[in-house]
Each structure stands twice: as C-alpha cells, then as structure tokens.
Amino acid sequence: MHGQAENRDMATVGLQSIAKSFGATKVLGGVDLSIADGEFLTLVGPSGCGKSTLIRIIAGLETQDSGSVAIGGLGVDHMRPHERRVAMVFQSYALYPHMSVRSNIAVPLTMSRMTMRQRLPLVRLMSRSRREIMRGIDADVAAVAAQLQLEHLLDRRPAQLSGGQRQRVALGRAMVRNPDVFLMDEPLSNLDAKLRVHMRTELAELHKRLGVTFIYVTHDQIEAMTMSDRVAMMDAGEILQLGKPSELYDLPASIKVAQFIGSPAINLLPATVGPGGRVELFGRPLARAVEEPAGSAVTLGIRAEALSIGQADPGHGARASFSARLRRKENLGSEFILHFDLAGPDASGVTMRATPASAALVQESSEVTLTFDEGLCHVFNSAGRRLEARDGSSRNTIVSLKAWP
Ligand SMILES: Nc1ncnc2c1ncn2[C@@H]1O[C@H](COP(=O)(O)OP(=O)(O)OP(=O)(O)O)[C@@H](O)[C@H]1O
Ligand SMILES: [Mg+2]
C-alpha cells in the first residue's frame, strides 16, 4: 500500500498491442491505447466487441495473450489485481448480502490491513492491534460514506437499499482503496432510466473531485457522450475511433461510428458520385463534391437534426428532391421524432427531430418537403470510410427533399 500518494500524479494507463482469444474466438486484435492521468475515458461499442475483456485485462482479472499494460509508466503484467492500484466497479455491484454497508465498504481494507489471524472472530475480541486497525478502517469508511452520502445507511444490508444506493456502496468499496485508476464496467446499466441520469452526474462530479483516471465501459452512447473526456469506440476487438465525444459525433471516421453515436441513429441514404466528384442523391447533384471517381457508390449520412420541414430558400444552392411521407410521430415530450417513408428504390426512410410546434404542422400519412443542410451531412465510400468534402463544397447549402410526387 505504500507509495500510493507519491504516485498520484502518475496514473496514466498505457496499452500496447493487447491481443486476446478465447479458444478459437479472437476477442481483441492488438489494441493500442494511451490514457492520460486524470482522464475520463469511455469504451463504447456493441455487445460482444471486447470492452469487458479489455478492462478486465487492465484490472489483472484476465491475462492477455500478447501485448503489455502499464500503469503510471510501470509495466504491471506480472502484478496481481490488488497490486495494480486500480479498483473495479461491476455492473452487478457484487456486494456481500449478509454484510452491512459498513462492512461491505470495509472489505478491501480488512483484506489488506489485517492478517488472516486478526480476521478470525475470536481474535477479534482480544487483540489490541486489531482494535487499532479497526479504528483506522472505520475512519476511512466514514470518510468515503460522507463523500457518497451513505452515512445514514451504514448499518443496512444490501437488500435494504435501492439500486442507486447499492451502486454507491459498490463505488464506496472501490474508493476506500484510494486507487489511482477506477475501472467501471457498465456500472449504471442495472438502474432505471431516471436514476441512471442522476448517477451520470454524480459519477462525473466524483471524477472531478477525485481527479483520478477513470476508464468506463458502457454501450450507452449517451453516457459516453456526456461524461467522457475522450471516447474509444470499439468494434470486433478493434478501436475504430478515439477522440473527444464531439469529434466522434461531428467527424465520424466511418459509417459504423456514425451509426453508433447519436440518437436517433443517423439517416443513411444511397448515393452516387457524378461528374466532377459531385455527390448525386437519387440522381440529382448536390453541392457536395468528394475525391472519388465518377460512378462510385457512396452513402450519405444525414443526422436527424439536420432535416427540417419546408421548402428550401429558392435559388439557395443545389436542389435534390425525393418523396417523403410521414409514417409516424414519436412524442418524446420535449421534442418529436418524425419517421418518414421515402419513395426511392433503396431508401427505407428517414427520421427527423422536430419541435412540438413544427411536428404539429404535419399529419401522419401526409406528404411534405424536407430540407437539409449539406454542411451537416457526411459522405462515406463503399468501404464505409468518411470522405472529406472537396474545396468547401460542404458549406451551408440547403437541399430540398421534395414532396411526394
Ligand atoms: N471467459 C470467456 N470464455 C470464452 N469467451 C468469452 C469469455 N469472456 C468473453 N468471451 C467472448 O468474448 C467476446 C467479447 O466479450 P466481452 O465480454 O469482452 O464483450 P463486451 O464488449 O463487454 O460485451 P457486452 O456489451 O455485452 O458486455 C464475446 O464474444 C464473448 O462471448
Ligand atoms: Mg461487457
């Protein structure tokens, strides 16, 4: 336990070519990742992409086949989990049901500060040194309980707590070890929606207060977007993109990232490249041009908030038109998600974000004109990579998706 405080400023985490297979299944294909001291880094990605495996390798709960893990610049591959100065919080909380909240939080300290003998029930009553250690542990537990507002719950059993309270106990048990790195594997996924929003804020504040490194796993992209300094989006054992949340949202490197980040999911429409690299949507040229040979098939990605109802300003850039018919309005309270059908041969439909006021202007089954801002859409090549817009051709052009013919 010595040396923790001195190394507090050294809690970087470095992963080098981490590969892992379970039998014939390749789960991680050589992951490289550098996490800064004090950073909140989130791993996101679809179920089964290897997030838990990666975080368990950092914790030392799983051994990689090749590659190395460094914490604070020191290789930790030979270290057991409790020697790594990391603490892990699991989705399932993993609390001991027969123990009080106090004892649950104290577990890591009892394990590290007491000998086997001192933990025995009989020794408990007579040993003086044990009483001293206990006092120290009690003080540490009290300090953590105060930070997490658990003081009034210390004598309860886990079964007598709400989901959010249990999650705070699990956090407390991690905090009491005073780790340099917190590893959290979907810690909020067992909570109901409202509590999850609340705990999101609490975790972000806790991170700020403690100033230590957080590595956080979730497949909830809203959690990833709202809490993280950086997000690593994983798929099939690889990191597809690493960057600030806004970078993943505004400049997704690929269709997979664009589809995963953002809710509702980005609209994807089939398009082609015409003469001069101009992108053609349903046979009509947009203002957008890309460095791609004419005749190439591309995909146009349009965020739901880039669409709006109504005619484009006449004479305002290029026009593309295709038919859109309102299939369904989804009322989210503060806003609507409108689902449109398209008459195009391959396009199944588009979704659009709308204020309640603009949603009220359209009826289900009615035909409308949609417009979109080309500056807010992305073009992907046939391999799914995002293509840069050529010479400012993405700027501020409004395109109409004209009414049902
Ligand atoms: N102990 C194991 N033995 C065999 N296969 C495993 C083992 N642990 C994980 N896997 C497999 O490795 C792959 C990655 O699993 P992992 O738990 O890392 O995914 P994940 O990204 O955390 O998914 P989820 O979002 O569902 O939690 C999956 O295909 C899983 O079935
Ligand atoms: Mg997992």
Side-chain angles (χ1 to χ4, degrees):
M1 299 303 286
H2 56 87
Q4 279 198 355
E6 303 90 274
N7 288 326
R8 211 348 101 65
D9 58 342
M10 282 286 293
T12 57
V13 177
L15 305 180
Q16 216 174 30
S17 313
I18 301 288
K20 176 78 180 173
S21 297
F22 289 109
T25 317
K26 189 166 126 188
V27 175
L28 296 173
V31 172
D32 292 304
L33 188 57
S34 289
I35 299 151
D37 173 52
E39 183 170 14
F40 195 130
L41 181 118
T42 302
L43 299 170
V44 285
S47 186
C49 71
K51 307 180 295 293
S52 294
T53 306
L54 189 60
I55 204 172
R56 287 171 59 81
I57 287 173
I58 301 171
L61 300 170
E62 199 80 71
T63 311
Q64 67 270 32
D65 300 335
S66 59
S68 59
V69 180
I71 296 175
L74 293 172
V76 296
D77 297 321
H78 61 286
M79 290 185 194
R80 299 226 293 271
H82 67 273
E83 299 169 321
R84 296 190 179 197
R85 307 203 321 260
V86 304
M88 184 129 168
V89 181
F90 299 92
Q91 171 181 2
S92 61
Y93 321 142
L95 301 177
Y96 297 104
H98 60 287
M99 287 185 184
S100 66
V101 166
R102 187 191 315 277
S103 307
N104 263 289
I105 296 177
V107 164
L109 299 183
T110 350
M111 298 304 280
S112 63
R113 293 184 193 171
M114 288 190 190
T115 61
M116 276 281 254
R117 210 178 89 81
Q118 285 173 325
R119 280 183 243 142
L120 291 175
L122 259 183
V123 179
R124 206 175 267 192
L125 298 172
M126 26 189 134
S127 159
R128 199 161 146 235
S129 60
R130 187 191 180 278
R131 277 202 300 274
E132 267 158 35
I133 297 170
M134 262 327 278
R135 264 201 293 279
I137 292 177
D138 278 346
D140 288 356
V141 170
V144 164
Q147 284 208 57
L148 295 171
Q149 284 142 37
L150 286 170
E151 294 119 311
H152 61 298
L153 304 172
L154 284 173
D155 295 315
R156 293 208 199 161
R157 300 272 160 95
Q160 298 166 313
L161 302 176
S162 73
Q165 291 166 339
R166 275 179 223 170
Q167 189 50 275
R168 288 216 296 275
V169 176
L171 269 174
R173 197 174 49 186
M175 281 166 65
V176 82
R177 300 177 55 192
N178 202 18
D180 290 351
V181 181
F182 278 88
L183 304 172
M184 305 197 182
D185 194 350
E186 309 214 24
L188 306 186
S189 58
N190 281 343
L191 305 180
D192 65 44
K194 194 165 164 225
L195 201 48
R196 215 154 57 212
V197 173
H198 174 72
M199 285 303 291
R200 222 151 63 195
T201 315
E202 287 209 353
L203 275 182
E205 280 168 7
L206 183 71
H207 172 252
K208 217 175 269 165
R209 206 162 58 227
L210 298 177
V212 299
T213 309
F214 274 40
I215 304 177
Y216 189 92
V217 169
T218 180
H219 55 238
D220 182 329
Q221 49 101 14
I222 296 176
E223 278 177 27
M225 296 292 285
T226 53
M227 296 195 292
S228 328
D229 295 315
R230 285 190 305 163
V231 177
M233 157 102 202
M234 292 181 65
D235 188 51
E238 314 271 348
I239 292 178
L240 294 185
Q241 191 170 354
L242 170 67
K244 291 189 189 124
S246 58
E247 284 168 1
L248 271 72
Y249 191 83
D250 295 329
L251 296 170
S254 63
I255 286 190
K256 274 188 178 158
V257 176
Q259 275 181 302
F260 193 83
I261 306 286
S263 177
I266 193 167
N267 296 299
L268 296 173
L269 300 177
T272 50
V273 176
R278 288 275 288 271
V279 176
E280 297 181 354
L281 182 63
F282 298 106
R284 309 209 184 176
L286 307 182
R288 173 70 64 94
V290 291
E291 295 289 347
E292 192 78 354
S296 308
V298 290
T299 302
L300 196 64
I302 308 171
R303 295 271 183 213
E305 64 271 23
L307 284 163
S308 53
I309 297 169
Q311 293 280 355
D313 215 350
H316 199 304
R319 277 281 147 86
S321 60
F322 62 87
S323 315
R325 191 196 291 270
L326 184 61
R327 173 162 31 98
R328 196 161 60 87
K329 295 187 197 180
E330 203 178 339
N331 185 355
L332 302 184
S334 61
E335 63 170 6
F336 277 70
I337 306 296
L338 304 182
H339 299 263
F340 291 94
D341 287 322
L342 302 175
D346 311 309
S348 50
V350 292
T351 54
M352 176 193 146
R353 254 181 219 287
T355 60
S358 59
L361 300 175
V362 281
Q363 270 65 54
E364 287 183 6
S365 303
S366 70
E367 299 143 17
V368 293
T369 298
L370 298 181
T371 65
F372 69 91
D373 186 343
E374 275 200 65
L376 294 176
C377 70
H378 306 297
V379 182
F380 301 98
N381 69 11
S382 56
R385 308 292 308 167
R386 185 173 54 83
L387 298 167
E388 291 296 332
R390 209 161 78 184
D391 49 38
S393 65
S394 68
R395 269 184 241 126
N396 285 336
T397 314
I398 308 290
V399 177
S400 300
L401 312 179
K402 232 176 68 188
W404 201 270

